[in-house]
């Protein structure tokens, strides 16, 4: 090897070890700051909270009476500016057992709900406990639609959860309870929980 090539090889090796821009670096592991696709050196943008916590409560007094021990907690890590998505974690106890709920970001917590975005499901186990995590843009979620020929933006700052099966709410509301379109197959039960009694998601 010539002296010139030897010096170039040494410089590259030193750059890799020191993490000099332009050299090869080991990719950050999931959950670490500074990984690919992240911006701002791992710092949250000023003025935006890192974590938002919401407590979803039963959508009606009747449902609350039927699920007196129900607790649905939502924790949202606002990491879109860092990773391109937020982390939406739902943890629940005291639910009717073996029941699936569909989760939506919605314009209004209660009827008529307005614009809605279906983001995922969570299912209770034999003990009425449920846990799931979704990765999506939450803090800046919005719907874009046409109203009188003009495109408008509608922010989705509330959260709602519906009984995924039309019969899922029968234990409380009876067999003649309404069938709603809040599931992928267009047949769901009523809204079970919403964020009406908690701080809404932050506006963009």
């Amino acid at each position: 090897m010539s002296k010139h090539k030897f010096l170039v090889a040494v410089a590259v090796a030193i750059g890799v070890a020191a993490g000099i821009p332009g050299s090869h670096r080991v990719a950050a592991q999931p959950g670490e700051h500074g990984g690919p696709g992240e911006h701002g050196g791992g710092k949250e943008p000023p003025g935006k909270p890192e974590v938002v916590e919401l407590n979803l409560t039963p959508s009606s007094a009747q449902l609350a009476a039927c699920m007196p021990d129900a607790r649905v907690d939502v924790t949202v890590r606002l990491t879109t500016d860092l990773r391109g998505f937020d982390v939406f974690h739902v943890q629940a106890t005291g639910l009717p057992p073996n029941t699936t709920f569909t989760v939506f970001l919605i314009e209004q917590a209660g009827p008529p709900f307005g614009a809605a975005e279906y983001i995922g499901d969570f299912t209770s186990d034999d003990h009425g406990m449920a846990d799931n995590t979704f990765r999506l843009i939450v803090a800046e979620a919005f719907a874009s639609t046409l109203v009188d020929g003009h495109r408008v933006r509608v922010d989705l700052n509330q959260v709602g959860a519906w009984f995924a099966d039309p019969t899922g709410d029968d234990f409380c509301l009876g067999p003649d309870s309404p069938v709603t379109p809040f599931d992928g197959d267009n047949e769901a039960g009523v809204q079970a929980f919403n964020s009406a009694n908690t701080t809404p998601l932050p506006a963009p």
Side-chain angles (χ1 to χ4, degrees), residues 90-150:
V90 55
Q91 187 172 33
T93 58
L95 302 176
N98 305 309
T99 302
T100 298
F101 300 85
T102 57
V103 183
F104 286 77
L105 299 182
I106 47 183
E107 180 183 358
Q108 301 172 20
F113 310 117
E117 178 189 0
Y118 182 22
I119 65 172
D121 299 346
F122 63 90
T123 302
S124 61
D125 60 16
D126 293 343
H127 306 287
M129 302 175 66
D131 191 291
N132 205 357
T133 300
F134 315 137
R135 289 173 172 80
L136 72 156
I137 294 177
V138 177
E140 297 181 1
F142 69 95
S144 178
T145 189
L146 292 174
V147 176
D148 297 328
H150 299 284

Side-chain angles (χ1 to χ4, degrees), residues 178-192:
V179 176
T180 71
F182 287 88
D183 192 16
D185 62 4
N186 209 41
E187 291 188 349
V190 301
Q191 188 191 65

Side-chain angles (χ1 to χ4, degrees), residues 5-162:
K5 290 182 178 179
F6 173 78
L7 291 175
V8 171
V10 170
V12 171
I14 292 173
V16 170
I20 296 174
S23 63
H24 297 286
R25 293 183 295 176
V26 177
Q29 297 300 311
E32 293 180 353
H33 294 298
E38 295 181 354
H39 305 286
K43 295 180 180 179
E44 294 286 353
K48 181 177 290 187
E50 181 182 5
V51 176
V52 175
E53 296 180 344
L54 302 88
N55 174 237
L56 307 187
T57 52
S59 300
S60 70
Q62 187 172 355
L63 288 170
C66 292
M67 300 182 290
D69 299 321
R71 182 176 180 87
V72 181
D73 294 317
V74 172
T75 302
V76 184
R77 290 187 57 81
L78 303 176
T79 56
T80 290
D81 289 340
L82 299 176
R83 302 178 184 278
F85 59 83
D86 299 318
V87 180
F88 183 108
H89 179 229
V90 55
Q91 187 172 33
T93 58
L95 302 176
N98 305 309
T99 302
T100 298
F101 300 85
T102 57
V103 183
F104 286 77
L105 299 182
I106 47 183
E107 180 183 358
Q108 301 172 20
F113 310 117
E117 178 189 0
Y118 182 22
I119 65 172
D121 299 346
F122 63 90
T123 302
S124 61
D125 60 16
D126 293 343
H127 306 287
M129 302 175 66
D131 191 291
N132 205 357
T133 300
F134 315 137
R135 289 173 172 80
L136 72 156
I137 294 177
V138 177
E140 297 181 1
F142 69 95
S144 178
T145 189
L146 292 174
V147 176
D148 297 328
H150 299 284
R151 183 159 295 281
V152 298
R153 170 187 174 126
V154 177
D155 290 324
L156 305 177
N157 295 330
Q158 301 285 349
V159 180
W162 273 257

